[in-house]
Amino acid sequence: MAVVFIHGVPETPSVWNDLRGRIDRPTTALRLPGFGSPRPAHLDGKEAYADWLANELRAFGEPVDLVGHDWGAHLVMRIVSAYDVPVRSWVSDVAHGWHPDYQWHEAATLFQKTPNCWRRCAPRPSAAPASGTSSAPGG
């Protein structure tokens, strides 16, 4: 059973190379068309990309463990919630739940400072919780 990785924006499958090298079973990092290569004209929106991904996953012929990051994570969530594809398990990192010590890369910090960007809707991490407490909602 393979682990299939879907990258984010503006990345390419190489973002997964280090992790893939640490996994002791078959892995595949799919390249979203238009990222590091020309975008085919028929891929004109998120549903077209979801259709493309569903077809790629069906080609494995068996269930896969699916991992998505950033924009790829949105596609993963769409696939597992709306498509009949062979997925055994899935992981997605788009829940906007960042660790309080997470360090944003320089481009992201510029984006965060832009008025009316998506970041204004996500709360900024507060000070670390006192020892023995949880920062999770309800915890």
Side-chain angles (χ1 to χ4, degrees), residues 9-86:
V9 175
E11 300 157 339
T12 65
S14 65
V15 71
W16 299 111
N17 288 350
D18 186 50
L19 180 59
R20 291 178 65 205
R22 297 169 187 261
I23 297 175
D24 63 355
R25 54 187 245 215
T27 67
T28 299
L30 295 178
R31 176 181 296 278
L32 294 172
F35 296 84
S37 64
R39 180 185 55 84
H42 73 280
L43 291 177
D44 58 357
K46 62 184 176 184
E47 286 305 314
Y49 272 92
D51 290 341
W52 171 85
L53 179 55
N55 289 329
E56 292 291 314
L57 296 174
R58 289 182 188 115
F60 281 87
E62 66 178 358
V64 299
D65 293 318
L66 189 56
V67 180
H69 166 65
D70 188 60
W71 205 66
H74 287 282
L75 288 172
V76 165
M77 290 178 16
R78 180 70 177 143
I79 290 298
V80 300
S81 65
Y83 285 78
D84 182 21
V85 295

Side-chain angles (χ1 to χ4, degrees), residues 99-100 126-139:
H99 188 277
S126 59
S131 178
T133 62
S134 171
S135 62

Side-chain angles (χ1 to χ4, degrees), residues 94-98 104 111-125:
V94 297
H96 301 291
W98 299 286
W104 291 92
F111 182 69
Q112 292 169 0
K113 294 174 186 174
T114 303
N116 301 317
C117 76
W118 66 270
R119 184 71 173 117
R120 70 182 169 84
C121 299
R124 294 204 176 267

